[in-house]
Amino acid sequence: MNILLVSSSRHGSTDEVADVIAERLREAGLTVEQAHPEDVTDVSGYDAFVIGSAIYMTHWTDEAVEFTWRFHDELREKPVWAFSVGLSGLPKGQISDPHRIGPVLLNLDPEDHITFPGRLDPSSLTLRERTIARMGGASEGDFRDMDAVRDWAGAIATTLTSLS
């Protein structure tokens, strides 16, 4: 089974979460190709998709949203899982805010969507990002739970291996 795992990250945290997901899927015997959404030109040949984006100011990145628009028809035909990474977000499974997770995701009817806590390192942020984080009361630190990421990826692997 061929999986495309797309991640859109501003400062690397979402890509690191994607790496853990890819590792767990590969451990289950699945073939996983990783890419950034802006680098994908064709999605034919994939049996399933995992799409992830950092959350900035309650939105998915423009690149992730554009990917879901560009490949909307193809994504609707295959199983899709989605994840968001940020210091605030939606509870597991909730897809109620189309601006936060990307408007098209509501129309893709993903198998699951989860929001993982992120990492905030002010030294890696622009002045604007630091100001927004400070005004929003964001706390500095790494809040990612890689065991939770592995568990979620394991559930995807179980579903996909049962389909093959």
Side-chain angles (χ1 to χ4, degrees):
M1 182 156 286
N2 253 354
I3 315 304
L4 177 61
L5 193 161
V6 175
S7 62
S8 184
S9 191
R10 287 275 195 277
H11 301 288
S13 182
T14 303
D15 286 341
E16 291 168 7
V17 169
D19 290 344
V20 171
I21 293 169
E23 177 184 332
R24 179 64 190 89
L25 294 174
R26 288 181 183 121
E27 287 170 358
L30 300 166
T31 301
V32 180
E33 182 176 336
Q34 287 180 258
H36 291 120
E38 63 273 20
D39 297 331
V40 177
T41 58
D42 182 23
V43 296
S44 61
Y46 295 105
D47 303 303
F49 302 91
V50 179
I51 306 168
S53 177
I55 299 172
Y56 282 93
M57 296 186 295
T58 74
H59 293 76
W60 264 22
T61 66
D62 291 343
E63 295 83 2
V65 171
E66 195 274 331
F67 173 85
T68 64
W69 280 108
R70 194 163 25 115
F71 297 110
H72 176 265
D73 293 341
E74 295 91 334
L75 295 172
R76 289 276 305 161
E77 296 175 4
K78 307 283 176 141
V80 174
W81 283 263
F83 69 96
S84 301
V85 177
L87 296 177
S88 64
L90 296 171
K92 181 181 182 340
Q94 297 299 307
I95 304 178
S96 59
D97 182 346
H99 297 291
R100 180 168 292 162
I101 62 160
V104 175
L105 198 53
L106 287 167
N107 295 322
L108 294 180
D109 193 25
E111 304 296 318
D112 192 20
H113 170 263
I114 190 167
T115 300
F116 296 112
R119 174 183 67 206
L120 177 62
D121 176 5
S123 68
S124 69
L125 303 178
T126 66
L127 175 61
R128 179 175 185 263
E129 290 171 329
R130 280 195 308 273
T131 302
I132 291 167
R134 194 174 313 114
M135 289 172 56
S139 299
E140 179 179 347
D142 188 345
F143 303 99
R144 296 172 300 171
D145 180 349
M146 294 306 191
D147 288 334
V149 173
R150 283 183 196 86
D151 290 346
W152 187 71
I156 295 171
T158 298
T159 299
L160 290 174
T161 54
S162 72
L163 296 176
S164 53

